[in-house]
Amino acid sequence: MRPEHESALAEVRVLTRQGGLRDGVLAGAAAVLQRLPRYTGVYLYALEGDELVLRAHAGRDTQHLRIPVGQGLCGLSARTKGVVVVDDVTADARYLACNVETRSEIVQPVLRGDLYLAQIDVDSDEPGAFGREDRAFLAQVALELEGLFR
């Protein structure tokens, strides 16, 4: 794991162990992640019924406050319960555009066993910004955030 990932993961661990209101902890975690190189926008959605609901974000705003399961890359992750990585969102018809600068995206589910609870959605202005190290890092962050969801 890259040193900046290790440092960010340690900060997220501190936030989740300190307690507090869920959305406040999520906002702190989003801010930590957004400081990483290439992470221009971080959006944390909770699955509520058949919609993903934005609970916290850092970086650019988004108009996508609610996303139906199955719609866009975030909805695809919720439907398949899997990680979604797109190296060039401009070439993917499933992408729900929120920022013209965004070029790549990764969506990491937050799971409890087979139950989809939430997701970490990260945008980057760089094409192909998210590799194996980012996937492994965000999987660890998702494990830390899992306890915030019932």
Side-chain angles (χ1 to χ4, degrees):
M1 191 178 300
R2 294 181 186 149
E4 63 267 22
H5 287 163
E6 289 178 10
S7 176
L9 183 58
E11 286 186 65
V12 170
R13 281 188 179 126
V14 168
L15 289 169
T16 59
R17 284 164 176 75
Q18 284 177 340
L21 296 175
R22 178 186 67 179
D23 289 355
V25 174
L26 292 174
V32 167
L33 297 179
Q34 198 269 325
R35 291 194 312 256
L36 291 168
R38 302 179 326 277
Y39 287 40
T40 55
V42 176
Y43 309 91
L44 300 175
Y45 289 91
L47 182 62
E48 297 180 10
D50 60 354
E51 286 187 314
L52 295 159
V53 178
L54 184 66
R55 289 291 167 210
H57 80 281
R60 295 189 186 110
D61 289 335
T62 180
Q63 71 269 28
H64 302 291
L65 305 180
R66 293 180 170 274
I67 301 172
V69 170
Q71 186 176 354
L73 301 175
C74 291
L76 173 64
S77 174
R79 183 174 55 80
T80 63
K81 298 182 181 179
V83 176
V84 175
V85 180
V86 176
D87 290 336
D88 181 4
V89 296
T90 64
D92 194 315
R94 301 169 299 183
Y95 175 64
L96 293 177
C98 35
N99 300 293
V100 296
E101 298 91 352
T102 299
R103 288 295 171 261
S104 58
E105 182 171 5
I106 184 170
V107 184
Q108 168 66 52
V110 177
L111 303 168
R112 180 175 300 125
D114 204 29
L115 182 62
Y116 198 100
L117 303 171
Q119 66 182 220
I120 306 164
D121 174 29
V122 183
D123 292 351
S124 179
D125 291 354
E126 296 180 27
F130 306 109
R132 282 192 322 262
E133 290 177 332
D134 296 286
R135 286 182 71 153
F137 163 68
L138 290 172
Q140 290 296 309
V141 173
L143 288 173
E144 291 299 321
L145 298 181
E146 181 265 335
L148 298 174
F149 298 93
R150 299 193 186 271

